[in-house]
């Protein structure tokens, strides 16, 4: 008998066909986002769950007595309560590697858009204001090339961002990480820095660290005060790694030049969030990995993880407890 699984997300046809070869699959079919209540009603019989961002905690697991594996279609897994999953012997998997270059591209997109004020220029043109007069000058931005990039969190994505920065943009790159990575330093020609020095000396600061108890609001008022007035802050990790009120104040008080943000404390963002009204802030709705090609690859990896974990055949990207 094939194991029963439930999928909370839209997945490509080929991925669904692959899953159907190995499992009895049910999935959320509505155009409306699935609610937690819907999910709790669907998980009673299942052994595998394919999802992303869904809080996996005692409440959900109490409703899913047969569940063996939760496969996240994302690299981040801060939605897992790992203590609870460990206690109940539930495997959690994620999708590293397949999205590295795509997230690195978006990170550079945010750095470039903020520094060169691309969104503001776009609005300027579309409002018919292109006259080549002195009124253009307030929109002149900052260079990216040959500047100093500080990366907080040197994992797989950090490495490919460093590569673009060093070899594409002739930037100096420094990084801060829990563990120093001498092999990456040598390969990429980058240097390790303590956090405060990195914040004080970087022109661009990219936050990549996963969200954990230790990194919750890692960057707050004190950290923004350390940054240069010309610094650009980019967050592609999770919104809660930053004290968002402190970021808003730092931008309002011109303590930093601007910010490029893929992630927010609350997602979807509240419509009255002051960040949405700031011209020196470029915002996108958590789309770091959102190209069709990469999302398809992530869906397939998540499906393969689910099948491998359920059957015990092959390998799966298990997250450490
Ligand atoms: C992830 O996969 O965790 C990223 O946030 C995608 O953008």
């Amino acid at each position: 008998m094939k194991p029963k699984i439930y999928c909370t997300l839209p997945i490509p046809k080929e991925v669904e066909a692959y899953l159907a070869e190995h499992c009895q699959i049910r999935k959320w079919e509505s155009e409306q986002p699935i609610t937690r209540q819907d999910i709790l009603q669907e998980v009673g019989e299942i052994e595998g769950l394919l999802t992303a961002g869904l809080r996996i905690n005692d409440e959900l697991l109490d409703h899913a007595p047969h569940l063996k594996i939760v496969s996240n279609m994302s690299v981040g897994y801060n939605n897992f309560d790992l203590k609870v999953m460990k206690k109940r012997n539930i495997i959690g998997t994620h999708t590293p590697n397949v999205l590295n270059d795509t997230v690195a591209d978006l990170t550079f997109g945010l750095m470039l858009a903020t520094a060169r004020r691309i969104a503001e220029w776009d609005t300027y043109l579309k409002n018919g204001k292109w006259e080549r007069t002195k009124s253009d000058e307030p929109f002149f931005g900052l260079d990216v090339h040959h500047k100093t990039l500080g990366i907080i969190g040197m994992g797989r994505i950090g490495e490919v961002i460093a590569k673009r920065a060093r070899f594409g943009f002739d930037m100096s790159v420094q990084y801060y990480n829990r563990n120093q990575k001498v092999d990456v330093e040598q390969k990429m020609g980058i240097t390790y820095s303590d956090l405060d020095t990195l914040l004080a000396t970087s022109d661009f600061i990219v936050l990549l660290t996963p969200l954990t108890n230790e990194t919750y609001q890692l960057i707050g008022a004190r950290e923004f005060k350390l940054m240069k007035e010309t610094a650009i802050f980019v967050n592609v990790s999770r919104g809660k790694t930053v004290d968002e009120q402190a970021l808003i104040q730092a931008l309002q008080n011109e303590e930093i030049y601007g910010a490029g943000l893929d992630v927010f404390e609350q997602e979807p963002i509240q419509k009255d969030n002051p960040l949405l009204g700031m011209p020196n802030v470029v915002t996108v709705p958590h789309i770091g990995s959102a190209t069709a090609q990469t999302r398809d690859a992530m869906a397939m990896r998540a499906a393969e993880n689910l099948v491998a974990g359920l059957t015990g055949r092959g390998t799966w990207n298990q997250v450490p407890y």
Side-chain angles (χ1 to χ4, degrees):
M1 189 85 141
K2 291 178 183 175
K4 291 184 177 155
I5 64 162
Y6 192 78
C7 178
T8 66
L9 310 157
I11 48 170
K13 288 255 163 308
E14 313 80 72
V15 176
E16 191 172 342
Y18 167 79
L19 283 169
E21 272 172 43
H22 303 275
C23 312
Q24 299 179 58
I25 176 170
R26 280 174 43 79
K27 64 183 178 58
W28 180 245
E29 303 282 0
S30 163
E31 285 293 308
Q32 298 303 314
I34 190 167
T35 66
R36 191 159 179 90
Q37 207 44 45
D38 296 323
I39 291 166
L40 296 183
Q41 279 167 14
E42 293 289 354
V43 295
E45 305 273 301
I46 62 166
E47 291 179 55
L49 180 62
L50 196 156
T51 190
L54 173 69
R55 188 82 189 128
I56 306 299
N57 57 7
D58 269 324
E59 180 204 34
L60 185 133
L61 297 176
D62 283 346
H63 284 75
H66 308 287
L67 192 63
K68 295 184 177 141
I69 172 165
V70 182
S71 173
N72 248 10
M73 197 184 117
S74 66
V75 66
Y77 50 86
N78 51 292
N79 56 313
F80 289 168
D81 184 333
L82 288 171
K83 247 201 219 141
V84 164
M85 289 171 73
K86 181 177 181 187
K87 198 172 67 199
R88 299 187 185 227
N89 235 351
I90 308 286
I91 297 173
T93 66
H94 68 148
T95 59
N97 300 322
V98 290
L99 75 184
N100 294 351
D101 283 300
T102 302
V103 176
D105 286 350
L106 194 268
T107 305
F108 258 87
L110 289 172
M111 286 165 58
L112 288 161
T114 311
R116 299 300 307 274
R117 309 181 69 154
I118 291 173
E120 287 172 87
W121 279 118
D122 178 63
T123 308
Y124 185 78
L125 252 71
K126 287 175 180 165
N127 288 340
K129 295 211 172 132
W130 187 7
E131 283 158 8
R132 286 216 183 282
T133 63
K134 268 208 151 318
S135 64
D136 286 356
E137 280 175 22
F139 292 105
F140 286 0
L142 302 176
D143 279 325
V144 177
H145 65 88
H146 293 94
K147 294 290 183 69
T148 298
L149 170 63
I151 299 176
I152 303 171
M154 182 48 69
R156 294 165 288 250
I157 298 174
E159 242 188 83
V160 291
I161 292 173
K163 185 173 169 192
R164 281 160 176 70
R166 289 281 296 119
F167 305 117
F169 287 79
D170 290 312
M171 299 178 89
S172 302
V173 179
Q174 51 187 345
Y175 75 100
Y176 169 74
N177 197 52
R178 227 171 12 167
N179 313 310
Q180 195 172 346
K181 302 226 168 144
V182 178
D183 54 330
V184 182
E185 289 171 23
Q186 285 165 354
K187 191 162 65 175
M188 298 290 171
I190 67 176
T191 53
Y192 182 79
S193 165
D194 65 83
L195 182 58
D196 286 2
T197 307
L198 180 146
L199 295 171
T201 58
S202 297
D203 300 304
F204 292 83
I205 294 156
V206 169
L207 187 56
L208 281 175
T209 183
L211 174 63
T212 63
N213 289 339
E214 289 73 46
T215 64
Y216 175 74
Q217 297 197 344
L218 178 70
I219 305 298
R222 188 190 81 86
E223 287 70 28
F224 286 117
K225 283 198 184 359
L226 285 174
M227 295 179 195
K228 295 181 181 184
E229 277 176 20
T230 50
I232 287 177
F233 175 71
V234 173
N235 191 5
V236 281
S237 65
R238 288 291 182 268
K240 291 191 167 98
T241 53
V242 175
D243 177 346
E244 201 166 271
Q245 285 313 313
L247 170 62
I248 290 166
Q249 268 172 25
L251 288 160
Q252 281 168 343
N253 300 339
E254 297 181 10
E255 287 167 27
I256 61 173
Y257 182 85
L261 303 172
D262 182 36
V263 289
F264 302 88
E265 192 172 316
Q266 189 181 319
E267 295 179 5
I269 194 169
Q270 278 181 310
K271 291 186 176 55
D272 61 353
N273 188 315
L275 292 168
L276 299 179
M278 295 182 176
N280 55 340
V281 178
V282 176
T283 55
V284 288
H286 202 150
I287 52 140
S289 63
T291 64
Q293 187 182 334
T294 293
R295 282 290 168 86
D296 286 359
M298 289 166 73
M300 189 47 102
R301 191 81 279 267
E304 287 165 351
N305 282 334
L306 192 65
V307 170
L310 280 175
T311 59
R313 288 194 296 274
T315 54
W316 55 91
N317 300 109
Q318 183 157 353
V319 305
Y321 288 126

